[in-house]
Amino acid sequence: MTSEVVENEFEFYSKAEKYWKDVPATVDGMLGGYGHISSIDINSSRKFLQRFLRDGPNRTGTTRALDCGAGIGRITKRLLLPLFKTVDMVDVTEDFLTKAKSYLGEEGRRVHNYFCCGLQDFSPEPNTYDVIWIQWVIGHLTDNHLSDFLKRCRAGLRPNGIVVIKDNMAQEGVIMDDVDSSVCRDLDVVRKIIRRAGLHLLAEERQENFPDEIYHVYTFAMR
C-alpha cells in the first residue's frame, strides 16, 4: 500500500514534478537511460494492442487514443499515431509537451490536445477514447489517486474501448524510489487497484527481452 511508504502526499507529487523538470526531453531521458529498449517495447505493445483492434463484434475502435504520462510523445509517435486517427497527450511536464510538437513531425498534426496536468488531477472527457494508454507513470500516483483516475478512465471509454497499463512490477509489496519520487507495486497490488476501480481485466502479459537488471514489466488491458 502506498499509504505505508508515502509519508507526505504533497511532497510525493512535488518532488516527482521537480525530478522530471530536470530530465532531458529525449527518448533516452524518457526511458531513464534505456533508450535502446524503445523498439522492443513498442513492438511488443503493438502486438498486444492489435489483438483488440482486429475485426469482430467486440472490436476496439481506432478513432481516438489518449497517451497518459506521454512525455515527448515516444508512444504517441510510434505506437498510437500509426493505429489511431487522432491522439491526445497528457503529461505533467510542460517542456516535454513543447518538445513533442517538433519530435512528432508532420504526423503530430493529428494530436488534437496537449494536456499539461498530473494524472491525479486529470479527467478524460467521458465517452471519448477507444484506447487510454498509461505507461510507466502509475508509480507517480498514490493507490487512492490511481484507483480514482482509473474510474475516470473507465468513464472516458467509447463502446468496446480499453484502458491499458504497462509498467514495472515489484517482486513483492510496494517499493519506494526516492530519486524520482515514485512507487513500484507488485502484481497483486495492481490487480486489486484495477478491481477497486470497477474495471475487468481482459489480458495480462509480461514483457520479454528487456535487460535482466530492470524490474519485470507487465501490460494489462481492461474495461
Side-chain angles (χ1 to χ4, degrees):
M1 301 286 288
T2 53
S3 55
E4 291 163 15
V5 295
V6 176
E7 291 172 14
N8 182 317
E9 203 174 89
F10 175 78
E11 200 175 277
F12 175 67
Y13 286 112
S14 57
K15 196 174 166 188
E17 277 192 51
K18 185 175 182 304
Y19 170 84
W20 286 106
K21 278 198 172 100
D22 293 332
V23 168
T26 61
V27 170
D28 212 39
M30 299 302 96
L31 294 176
Y34 283 87
H36 59 284
I37 69 170
S38 185
S39 289
I40 298 167
D41 168 58
I42 295 287
N43 291 339
S44 298
S45 294
R46 189 181 299 112
K47 278 184 195 159
F48 183 88
L49 190 50
Q50 280 176 328
R51 72 175 87 166
F52 297 97
L53 307 182
R54 292 190 194 113
D55 291 337
N58 297 315
R59 185 177 78 86
T60 298
T62 55
T63 303
R64 197 167 178 186
L66 174 66
D67 185 358
C68 299
I72 63 168
R74 181 186 72 92
I75 291 162
T76 289
K77 183 181 176 105
R78 298 194 52 200
L79 176 67
L80 300 177
L81 281 172
L83 295 172
F84 296 87
K85 289 190 182 117
T86 63
V87 178
D88 290 341
M89 294 169 58
V90 54
D91 196 275
V92 75
T93 307
E94 199 164 352
D95 286 351
F96 294 165
L97 295 175
T98 301
K99 172 69 176 180
K101 289 166 188 173
S102 58
Y103 171 74
L104 294 171
E106 275 297 294
E107 292 299 300
R109 288 173 305 158
R110 295 190 288 114
V111 174
H112 282 192
N113 295 293
Y114 296 86
F115 299 109
C116 188
C117 188
L119 298 184
Q120 69 274 18
D121 299 315
F122 183 73
S123 294
E125 199 176 320
N127 193 34
T128 297
Y129 298 104
D130 296 297
V131 169
I132 297 177
W133 193 273
I134 309 164
Q135 183 162 348
W136 280 322
V137 68
I138 65 168
H140 286 300
L141 297 177
T142 64
D143 290 352
N144 287 340
H145 282 158
L146 177 55
S147 175
D148 289 346
F149 175 61
L150 290 174
K151 285 176 191 168
R152 298 194 297 275
C153 286
R154 194 182 72 193
L157 294 177
R158 297 177 71 220
N160 296 322
I162 57 168
V163 176
V164 178
I165 287 175
K166 186 170 187 178
D167 221 302
N168 301 335
M169 298 294 137
Q171 291 285 73
E172 189 179 353
V174 179
I175 299 164
M176 183 77 190
D177 184 337
D178 282 322
V179 176
D180 67 355
S181 191
S182 70
V183 296
C184 187
R185 303 168 173 93
D186 70 26
L187 280 165
D188 285 343
V189 173
V190 173
R191 289 189 198 114
K192 275 178 194 155
I193 293 170
I194 288 168
R195 283 197 300 271
R196 202 168 106 198
L199 286 157
H200 172 64
L201 208 51
L202 304 172
E204 179 186 306
E205 183 176 282
R206 183 176 159 191
Q207 171 72 49
E208 295 179 347
N209 303 317
F210 267 9
D212 291 339
E213 71 270 15
I214 66 173
Y215 283 115
H216 293 169
V217 172
Y218 278 79
T219 312
F220 307 87
M222 60 209 96
R223 67 163 62 103

